[in-house]
Amino acid sequence: MDQSQQIAKAVEILREGGLVAFPTETVYGLGADANNPEALRRLYSLKGRPLDHPSIVHVTGTEALESWCRDIPDAAILLATLFWPGPLTLVLKKRKGVPDELTGGQDTVAIRVPSHPVALKLLSAFGSGVAAPSANRFGHISPTSATDVRGEFGDEVMVLDGGPCQVGIESTIIDLSAGRPRVLRPGMILEESINVALSEVGLAPKGETDSPRVPGSLPSHYAPHKPVELVESSSLQDAVSGLLNKGKTPGVLAYSTSSAGYGAGPVSIQMSQSPAHYAFSLYRSLRELDGNEKVDFILIEEPPAKPEWVGIRDRVTRAAGQRLDTSVTEVGNGT
Ligand code: TXA
Ligand code: MG
């Protein structure tokens, strides 16, 4: 089947209430007709995700805002115009008739226009909104390739292959549904850029930004199966030696080049010092270490505390979820 036949097939599946995994520029999504409650329940059940967790509706353009949202503030139009298609999700008041299954029963809806050409082709051929959480089992690492998705769901869903996701971590989420706009989930569209765009309104100050309504804010979200610890650069060598002394093999996600060599023993992946490249390969590298039989424990060198790294720091912190202190014992992924 060529690509247009595959998209036609995917549209047919969506119309029948089935599920289709598709690429976006951030991560692969597991798609269902956002207007079909039964399809949404099927989606949540396959993902193993609780029904009260809302999903993002993916649409083709700003004109679709009216179909899903009401009381749309100017700030939302501005951000949509500037950043769509792209890795930005807006949370707005939902329009009457938008299924509770999409919004987790909340009065708001999350919406975005992805920039991946395959996603855009699928959405325009489907002609309506596609609900899509990341195409992974609940609590696991988001997939950034078609192979990753198949690793999660096998042959249970059709996967449109669009190559590796260029951004590599999930979209930035901004809540514009009430009060001042707030960042609910940081991503590669930086808070600074949003602030510049919203110069008149401005974002809510820090501290007001952590919403319990985002399941991604569970500490153990985005977690590998193996135990993970986030370690400062200066402590990395000690952490590696400590594990080796206990007969454990560390898998190291190193960021600074000075820490690239730890001698024999650990499995090490050298990450880029450019945030965009780091984000691009983060989930793939975590999956690689998680899947490497030799590795007992994943150590992530803490990325720089700089604005361009906020989204990445958020994901690696969540991947770590729990810290290694005294002993190396079983640490699950929580969800
Ligand atoms: O980049 C992305 O956003 C990817 C691709 C596939 O688009 N999608 C994604 O979906 O990461 P998911 O479901 O894994 O994460 C969406 C996040 C969840 O944390 C969810 O709680 C939050 O968006 N969310 C969805 N609707 C919301 C709402 N109405 N209010 C607050 N948060 C919401
Ligand atoms: Mg997810």
Side-chain angles (χ1 to χ4, degrees):
M1 270 199 282
D2 67 20
Q3 195 190 67
S4 59
Q5 289 169 320
Q6 282 183 24
I7 287 180
K9 173 79 190 151
V11 166
E12 205 181 301
I13 294 174
L14 291 174
R15 293 222 168 104
E16 286 165 1
L19 310 177
V20 173
F22 63 97
T24 81
E25 75 281 24
T26 57
V27 299
Y28 275 70
L30 183 58
D33 179 351
N35 270 314
N36 180 340
E38 206 180 304
L40 293 165
R41 280 196 289 271
R42 196 167 291 133
L43 170 66
Y44 282 44
S45 137
L46 181 64
K47 228 184 112 77
R49 182 174 190 166
L51 264 173
D52 60 354
H53 287 216
S55 289
I56 298 169
V57 58
H58 296 70
V59 297
T60 46
T62 316
E63 69 285 349
L65 276 171
E66 295 283 345
S67 312
W68 300 91
C69 319
R70 64 182 160 86
D71 304 340
I72 304 165
D74 290 346
I77 307 284
L78 182 68
L79 293 181
T81 310
L82 281 173
F83 295 105
W84 284 355
L88 180 72
T89 296
L90 305 179
V91 172
L92 294 161
K93 291 233 169 63
K94 81 165 185 179
R95 203 184 151 129
K96 203 161 158 252
V98 172
D100 279 342
E101 285 81 358
L102 174 67
T103 63
Q106 301 190 43
D107 190 34
T108 56
V109 62
I111 185 164
R112 90 173 184 99
V113 179
S115 68
H116 196 294
V118 173
L120 286 171
K121 278 182 198 158
L122 175 69
L123 292 169
S124 50
F126 182 60
S128 178
V130 172
S134 50
N136 53 281
R137 306 250 178 212
F138 186 59
H140 198 212
I141 307 171
S142 296
T144 53
S145 73
T147 311
D148 291 349
V149 180
R150 289 189 200 103
E152 295 283 331
F153 301 114
D155 292 330
E156 282 180 85
V157 285
M158 177 184 188
V159 186
L160 292 172
D161 191 341
C165 303
Q166 294 303 305
V167 176
I169 65 171
E170 303 81 354
S171 59
T172 304
I173 305 181
I174 308 287
D175 184 359
L176 293 138
S177 66
R180 284 169 76 183
R182 298 180 309 147
V183 178
L184 295 183
R185 178 174 71 185
M188 296 311 279
I189 290 191
L190 305 181
E191 190 168 330
E192 281 180 323
S193 319
I194 308 264
N195 257 325
V196 170
L198 295 181
S199 54
E200 281 177 27
V201 195
L203 281 164
K206 281 249 161 27
E208 284 178 40
T209 56
D210 216 350
S211 169
R213 291 183 296 153
V214 187
S217 62
L218 295 173
S220 58
H221 226 65
Y222 313 106
H225 296 292
K226 286 177 185 163
V228 180
E229 194 193 6
L230 198 59
V231 193
E232 281 175 29
S233 307
S234 57
S235 313
L236 195 56
Q237 185 64 64
D238 284 351
V240 167
S241 312
L243 284 162
L244 290 173
N245 289 341
K246 287 180 178 148
K248 303 281 179 188
T249 302
V252 187
L253 217 59
Y255 150 76
S256 56
T257 42
S258 58
S259 44
Y262 314 96
V267 176
S268 162
I269 297 181
Q270 179 62 52
M271 300 296 286
S272 174
Q273 301 204 2
S274 130
H277 290 129
Y278 188 111
F280 170 75
S281 60
L282 173 61
Y283 288 160
R284 189 178 23 150
S285 304
L286 280 176
R287 278 175 184 270
E288 193 179 316
L289 292 177
D290 211 25
N292 186 322
E293 282 176 14
K294 278 197 262 171
V295 172
D296 300 303
F297 204 103
I298 300 172
L299 295 175
I300 305 178
E301 181 180 4
E302 198 179 319
K306 292 188 184 153
E308 318 85 271
W309 291 84
V310 170
I312 292 165
R313 286 172 63 87
D314 173 76
R315 300 314 187 279
V316 296
T317 307
R318 291 180 202 286
Q322 306 179 34
R323 300 190 80 86
L324 164 75
D325 36 59
T326 45
S327 61
V328 181
T329 48
E330 282 292 296
V331 182
N333 70 23
T335 48

